[in-house]
Each structure stands twice: as structure tokens, then as C-alpha cells.
Amino acid sequence: MTFDFSDRRRFVLSGVGAAALATLPQFPAQAQVQATAGNRVLRIGHQKGFLSLLKGRGTLEQRLAPLGVKLSWTEFTAGPVQLEALNVGSIDFGDVGEAPPIFAQAAGAPLAYVAATVPRPATEAVLVQKDSAIKTVADLKGRKVAYNKGSNVHYFLVKLLEKNGLKYDDVQSVFLPPSDARAAFEKGAVDAWVIWDPFLAAAEVGLGGRILADANGVVNNRAYYFSTLDYAAKNADVVKIVIEEINKLDQWGSTNRDALAAEFAPLWGIPKPVVDRAVTRSAYGTGSITKAILQEQQVIADTFFNLKLIPKRINVLEAAVNAG
């Protein structure tokens, strides 16, 4: 059983370095349309997730209409492409995982973190075959481990190994995007696969994979919502309403998980029983950015710099407006 689901956290890089954003698609300059006097515009980039559901409900348009704010929506296949669109002025708001903003900031994008989800550590894990001789994290020493380079699970693996007395180079890293990693895992070409939902749930259900360890007690695994520093500073009222509406949807999902899974299944193109597994173990809630949350991102940024995945040290606090 295979599934086709866009890799939301894959950062398309040329060497994952200084030329990071330059490798991504360019967007037309005419897209840089800003609000005229008396009429504001919010251009939202979204992947197949909560923002897509919010678009379908139309509640955000209703909340923003009294402010004279018009919305436009553009769907993207991955967070890094959204961030490039933000960088060239094509969108004002979007959603992304932990890692892409680190690379975007290192490449000079004017992004601002404006909201974060609650921690969701159970939604990423190290997967092994159900009959694998690997029983503990320590057993990964010398083994081939597949994962997406520069992603949230890259950071998770580093910290998981560290917590269990292993060094990063104690395992043989095999850098593969989810679709290729799944194929390698299924063929037995790798010993373990570090992956996130819904790919994780799909491999559990479709391949009988066994979770060796998830991120509980290791990393938080949040998702983030972003804008530009300029838009967030000038449109704080708009951003506040958007966050409120996202959180309302989040809270609805928390208490209506079966209905949420039913909406996500056709959106993702994945059977509902698989989505049920992912939705059940996720946590729900979205709130404003705080300095404590940004410090989590700073640790990730420092880790990626030490691994030579970004070309320079960055100060994540510079990518926020009025963090509490």
C-alpha cells in the first residue's frame, strides 16, 4: 500500500547552504501588490492542512470583513516554497514546520514567527521493521538510518542519539525524502527510518512498521505560522484575528477527531484509518509566539549550524515582532 502525500517539510536545497533559497522557484514581481488606502489585503499561502480547512469554512473572511481586509489564498506543496514566496513579496502569511524557517532566516528572508502550535512530539518517530533485531535506540549504532536532511526529524535524531549516549556519527545517515525513504525501508535497504505523520501512520498501517522511539521527552516538534516583519508590525490586528481563527479550528479538531480525520483523508489522499492514527496522537492548540518558544528554535538553529547545514549563526529573536 503506497500513498501520495506532499512532503510538507522537505527543504529543496543545493547542498543545504548559502544558496538555499536561490534554488527555489521565483515568483512574478507583479504579485507584490499591497493594500491601497482604505483597503487591506491578506495573501495566505497554505499547504494541505489546517489553513486549507480554514479556507473552506470561510470564517476568516467573515471576521476580517469589518476591517476591510480582503483575502487571497495560494496552495503550496511545501513550506520552503512558501517561504520563498514570502521572501519575494508574493504572500503575507503561511504555515511551516520547525526547520524551513531556520534556513530561510539564514538566507536573509524577512520572516516573522507569529504563532506556534502546542508541542506534538508523538507525531514523529524512529520506525523499524516489526521483526527487527533493533530493540533500543542504542542498537542503532552502526546502522543505516534514513531521514530527510535538514528537516525536523534530522534535529530529532540528533537529540535522540545524544539522549541515549550516542554521537551523531555513530549511525550511518542516509538522506532521503519520505517517498524514497519509504521505498528503501520497505526493501530493507535501511535499518530504520525517522519520519513524521502522516507518513509515519501510513508506514505503520501499510508496512507493519514498529515505532522504536518517538519524540516524547526529546524534542517538542511544533509547527509555526509566519508573516513578514513588516506585515506583522503594520497589521497586528489582522494577524491576531487569523491566529484566533486557527486556534478555534484547532480546538474543534481536538474534540472532534473523527470528523477532523474525515476532512483530512480526502485532502491528503490517504485512507481514513491511517489518518485516524495520526489525528489521534496529535495535540491541538495554536497561540502567540513567546521568547521561550523562540529559544526552542534557537537551539535548532545552533544545532544545524554546528552540523554545517546553515552557513552562519542566526539570532532567532530577530525573526519576531513583540514576542512575549
Side-chain angles (χ1 to χ4, degrees):
M1 179 162 47
T2 58
F3 304 101
D4 179 17
F5 183 79
S6 296
D7 176 0
R8 299 185 61 191
R9 305 184 191 187
R10 183 178 181 185
F11 193 51
V12 185
L13 301 170
S14 175
V16 196
L21 291 178
T23 67
L24 294 171
Q26 296 300 307
F27 296 85
Q30 61 265 33
Q32 301 181 38
V33 178
Q34 293 298 328
T36 57
N39 182 34
R40 287 188 287 175
V41 176
L42 173 63
R43 299 163 302 166
I44 300 176
H46 64 105
Q47 301 173 52
K48 293 184 184 296
F50 272 98
L51 286 178
S52 302
L53 301 185
L54 187 62
K55 176 188 177 186
R57 281 162 169 73
T59 54
L60 186 56
E61 282 83 353
Q62 294 171 19
R63 285 287 311 276
L64 292 176
L67 299 181
V69 178
K70 294 185 177 180
L71 274 68
S72 67
W73 301 80
T74 304
E75 184 174 306
F76 294 85
T77 59
V81 189
Q82 284 191 80
L83 287 164
E84 171 63 3
L86 183 90
N87 193 37
V88 299
S90 297
I91 62 172
D92 307 304
F93 190 92
D95 56 334
V96 74
E98 295 169 320
I102 301 296
F103 292 101
Q105 188 180 352
L111 76 96
Y113 293 91
V114 296
T117 67
V118 296
R120 303 183 300 188
T123 62
E124 61 181 359
V126 178
L127 203 66
V128 297
Q129 299 289 352
K130 60 182 177 182
D131 57 354
S132 172
I134 299 172
K135 304 299 182 185
T136 68
V137 174
D139 294 335
L140 291 174
K141 187 171 184 178
R143 304 281 191 158
K144 292 181 179 178
V145 181
Y147 58 94
N148 203 45
K149 185 177 183 180
S151 68
N152 61 314
V153 293
H154 193 157
Y155 175 66
F156 163 48
L157 177 63
V158 172
K159 292 302 180 181
L160 180 67
L161 294 173
E162 183 181 288
K163 182 178 180 180
N164 287 272
L166 296 179
K167 299 188 296 294
Y168 175 57
D169 57 7
D170 280 337
V171 301
Q172 299 180 53
S173 293
V174 181
F175 300 131
L176 294 171
S179 58
D180 294 337
R182 180 189 169 99
F185 181 78
E186 188 171 10
K187 291 187 300 184
V190 296
D191 301 297
W193 179 20
V194 196
I195 190 59
W196 59 86
D197 275 326
F199 300 107
L200 173 62
E204 287 182 276
V205 175
L207 304 179
R210 169 170 56 87
I211 290 179
L212 179 70
D214 64 23
N216 276 297
V218 184
V219 298
N220 279 330
N221 188 37
R222 298 180 191 268
Y224 290 91
Y225 294 92
F226 63 85
S227 184
T228 65
L229 290 167
D230 184 64
Y231 189 93
K234 293 179 179 177
N235 299 277
D237 54 343
V238 175
V239 172
K240 180 175 180 291
I241 289 173
V242 177
I243 296 169
E244 288 173 356
E245 290 301 308
I246 292 171
N247 188 49
K248 285 180 184 177
L249 186 54
D250 244 342
Q251 297 304 325
W252 172 85
S254 179
T255 56
N256 296 273
R257 299 192 185 214
D258 184 68
L260 179 63
E263 288 197 52
F264 273 144
L267 186 67
W268 290 346
I270 295 177
K272 186 174 178 294
V274 175
V275 181
D276 284 334
R277 185 175 293 227
V279 165
T280 297
R281 64 180 161 219
S282 187
Y284 298 92
T286 298
S288 300
I289 288 294
T290 66
K291 289 182 180 178
I293 289 174
L294 290 179
Q295 183 54 40
E296 295 176 18
Q297 284 293 93
Q298 187 64 56
V299 174
I300 298 174
D302 293 343
T303 299
F304 282 170
F305 175 76
N306 292 334
L307 291 173
K308 296 181 170 51
L309 292 175
I310 58 175
K312 64 180 182 180
R313 289 192 182 277
I314 62 171
N315 180 1
V316 174
L317 285 174
E318 293 176 355
V321 178
N322 299 323

